[in-house]
Amino acid sequence: MARIGENQRPQAPHVLLFPLPFQGHINPMLQLATFLLSKGFSITIVHTQFNSPNPSNFPNFHFEPIPDGLSDGMDTTAILSTININCIAPFRAVLARMLSENRHGPISCVITDDFLFFTQSVTDSLKVPRIVLVTYNAIGFLTSSRFQMLHEKGYYPIQDPKSEDPVSEIPPLRIKDLPIITTSTMDATLQLFVSLTIATRASSGLIFNTPDCLEQTTLANLRLDLRIPVFPIGPLHKFMVGPPDSSSLLTPDNNCMAWLAKQAPLSVIYVSFGSTGVMDGADLAEMAWGLANSGQPFLWVVRPGSVSVSECAKLPEGFEEETRDRGLIVKWAPQQDVLAHPAVGGFWTHNGWNSTLESICEGVPMLCSPRLAEQGINARLVSHVWRVGMTLENELERGEIERGIRRLMVGHEGKEIRERIKDLKENVNCSIRKGGSSHQSLDALIDLISSF
Ligand code: UDP
């Protein structure tokens, strides 16, 4: 073995990270990367051309773009399937080159999103350990990993998406909480989840952006089942070193902070349905009138492209005059700063996992309108397990929205929810302090990476 001479300093261990190119997956991966950098690791980010992060926001990282061969108009399932085929050769080439060049230090391991399952066979063949990052929660992963069983048992295709019947194999889920998969994408989705599960089982470790205190039982079951090291280290945004929106694909409109400063404490409902969902013009109108009729001040994110182009993407006539004095609409918000603002008293959310965690960390009660993927599972935990929010159970409808906002913002139920989320916030924030469970898991993760 080569010895390091007196004048030579050992090179920092080098970790290569590869996020799935969607906002909700990029954020936690880059948060983890900034944390590892702060611990002395050298960092390379491999990324697709589609939704590429902005390297100038991360001057201390090395970036390696790879071609993805994606074309316009693909749905999420098609994007996932295509990336897992088209990126094999370019990823292998980048990794092989970096291993032979050894330019930024010896590569200790590769950390990739669980949906980038093709990376397992590439890292196996090049003899580099792969650790998997699951950017959603443990019960969401458990559901994905049991998708084949759910399919075989007849849960899929879902016959009645409103059914309250329990999914006895994954308590406390009901059929209506399961991700809705259209018949046309069923086979491709099944293939994706089977491949994802096999590749994750073959990996050297599994990181969850969730703290132990939120999902103790599920995490314990997964540990028994998977037999690889499991690291629940969330909420990762709390370990982020640097500005919270550096990994944002859109530019946040910071003017909303001055507007929030003029609002009364806990009076504003913040509304955002995340980075990917698309609604139609009718949903937009129901949301607008529900907000207007609730009488509450609101800050509403209407993302460009979030209303389908074939529909009338305009706000309904009369809405802007009616709400001018108490509403603000932005294209993209500095969400973490917004949720931390004292004027914000509630978050009407689609329950993407990042948004859910960010809301808990700031103690903001949630009104839940899950729309796709594992959002229904998250809404179930929020409203029925932790009881820190309430779910709008039906399609978006102005009367139900108006009542929901009032119940959350000014009703006695809302007050009870606010008390409960204060306690939950405290528990979650404890987990990231020294000695807390996420802090310990991060230490264990660093030990594992250093041992390779
Ligand atoms: N986000 C933001 N500004 C917005 C809306 C969302 O910065 O106006 C961020 C939010 O803080 C979160 C991410 O985008 O970190 C969305 O991830 P999430 O998992 O909640 O939902 P997804 O977009 O994946 O559906």
Side-chain angles (χ1 to χ4, degrees):
M1 185 191 279
R3 288 188 55 185
I4 298 165
E6 267 180 33
N7 298 328
Q8 283 176 286
R9 294 182 55 198
Q11 277 183 299
H14 183 181
V15 180
L16 189 148
L17 300 97
F18 187 177
L20 189 74
F22 292 107
Q23 186 74 75
H25 293 250
I26 293 170
N27 287 0
M29 186 66 88
L30 294 189
Q31 287 154 5
L32 176 61
T34 64
F35 177 79
L36 292 175
L37 183 82
S38 77
K39 294 291 166 193
F41 290 86
S42 177
I43 299 294
T44 293
I45 305 291
V46 176
H47 63 89
T48 54
Q49 288 156 328
F50 170 65
N51 278 349
S52 110
N54 182 355
S56 64
N57 288 342
F58 299 93
N60 296 316
F61 293 174
H62 314 286
F63 283 86
E64 289 283 348
I66 56 171
D68 49 48
L70 295 173
S71 48
D72 287 344
M74 284 181 163
D75 65 21
T76 308
T77 313
I79 292 176
L80 293 174
S81 306
T82 307
I83 288 179
N84 273 286
I85 295 167
N86 287 3
C87 291
I88 298 174
F91 177 66
R92 174 190 293 280
V94 165
L95 185 55
R97 172 170 55 73
M98 296 188 72
L99 287 166
S100 69
E101 279 176 355
N102 200 11
R103 250 210 304 171
H104 308 298
I107 293 182
S108 304
C109 74
V110 166
I111 301 180
T112 69
D113 193 282
D114 59 331
F115 279 96
L116 298 174
F117 45 81
F118 79 90
T119 55
Q120 187 62 44
S121 54
V122 176
T123 52
D124 279 348
S125 66
L126 293 173
K127 303 204 169 15
V128 182
R130 169 186 180 235
I131 299 178
V132 175
L133 172 64
V134 172
T135 60
Y136 47 106
N137 57 15
I139 192 169
F141 176 81
L142 186 78
T143 309
S144 309
S145 68
R146 297 201 175 157
F147 189 77
Q148 187 169 23
M149 174 274 288
L150 294 172
H151 190 256
E152 282 163 9
K153 292 207 163 182
Y155 287 101
Y156 283 104
I158 294 176
Q159 303 299 324
D160 176 8
K162 293 192 172 154
S163 169
E164 306 229 336
D165 289 352
V167 179
S168 49
E169 295 80 358
I170 312 181
L173 301 189
R174 303 159 300 178
I175 289 176
K176 70 188 291 186
D177 306 319
L178 290 173
I180 293 175
I181 315 287
T182 56
T183 318
S184 62
T185 58
M186 188 62 70
D187 288 349
T189 307
L190 185 57
Q191 191 51 51
L192 277 176
F193 284 139
V194 168
S195 306
L196 177 155
T197 308
I198 292 171
T200 304
R201 284 182 181 280
S203 73
S204 302
L206 181 55
I207 305 171
F208 282 106
N209 185 20
T210 196
D212 198 59
C213 64
L214 289 183
E215 302 197 80
Q216 236 159 13
T217 312
T218 310
L219 284 162
N221 289 338
L222 277 171
R223 280 193 169 100
L224 281 177
D225 180 34
L226 293 172
R227 303 206 193 140
I228 52 174
V230 172
F231 304 95
I233 61 174
L236 267 166
H237 70 280
K238 286 289 184 182
F239 290 103
M240 166 88 178
V241 182
D245 48 27
S246 16
S247 54
S248 208
L249 296 169
L250 297 172
T251 309
D253 181 346
N254 289 310
N255 292 326
C256 63
M257 300 309 289
W259 180 85
L260 279 176
K262 293 188 206 132
Q263 310 303 318
L266 302 181
S267 66
V268 175
I269 178 127
Y270 169 61
V271 187
S272 166
F273 283 4
S275 63
T276 57
V278 176
M279 65 178 93
D280 59 24
D283 283 342
L284 185 77
E286 291 305 310
M287 286 182 78
W289 287 124
L291 279 167
N293 298 342
S294 75
Q296 283 304 126
F298 62 85
L299 170 60
W300 183 11
V301 178
V302 183
R303 202 187 75 244
S306 63
V307 184
S308 47
V309 276
S310 55
E311 303 278 340
C312 169
K314 279 206 191 116
L315 288 162
E317 213 167 297
F319 169 75
E320 278 165 289
E321 296 84 83
E322 169 105 16
T323 58
R324 187 168 291 138
D325 294 340
R326 63 188 155 82
L328 182 67
I329 296 182
V330 293
K331 294 192 166 113
W332 193 249
Q335 181 163 303
Q336 288 178 40
D337 294 339
V338 166
L339 288 169
H341 197 283
V344 173
F347 183 11
W348 181 16
T349 170
H350 71 311
N351 287 114
W353 183 237
N354 294 288
S355 294
T356 304
L357 274 182
E358 288 160 10
S359 205
I360 292 172
C361 286
E362 301 307 333
V364 179
M366 282 167 265
L367 188 62
C368 309
S369 285
R371 299 183 66 79
L372 41 94
E374 89 300 351
Q375 295 157 11
I377 299 174
N378 302 340
R380 175 73 171 156
L381 298 180
V382 166
S383 35
H384 292 86
V385 178
W386 309 318
R387 296 167 62 226
V388 294
M390 45 178 86
T391 297
L392 295 177
E393 295 287 349
N394 301 307
E395 302 296 304
L396 294 171
E397 189 276 317
R398 64 188 72 184
E400 193 186 357
I401 295 168
E402 175 191 339
R403 285 189 296 280
I405 294 175
R406 288 223 174 99
R407 278 169 63 204
L408 188 78
M409 300 296 285
V410 291
H412 71 92
E413 235 177 316
K415 276 204 188 105
E416 289 170 9
I417 287 177
R418 194 173 306 285
E419 287 309 309
R420 278 195 291 272
I421 202 165
K422 266 192 210 155
D423 292 343
L424 195 64
K425 168 187 170 176
E426 186 48 32
N427 284 344
V428 170
N429 285 338
C430 270
S431 68
I432 60 170
R433 291 186 202 129
K434 200 165 171 31
S437 62
S438 293
H439 199 283
Q440 286 181 1
S441 285
L442 264 171
D443 285 345
L445 174 67
I446 287 171
D447 287 348
L448 177 70
I449 298 174
S450 307
S451 74
F452 290 137

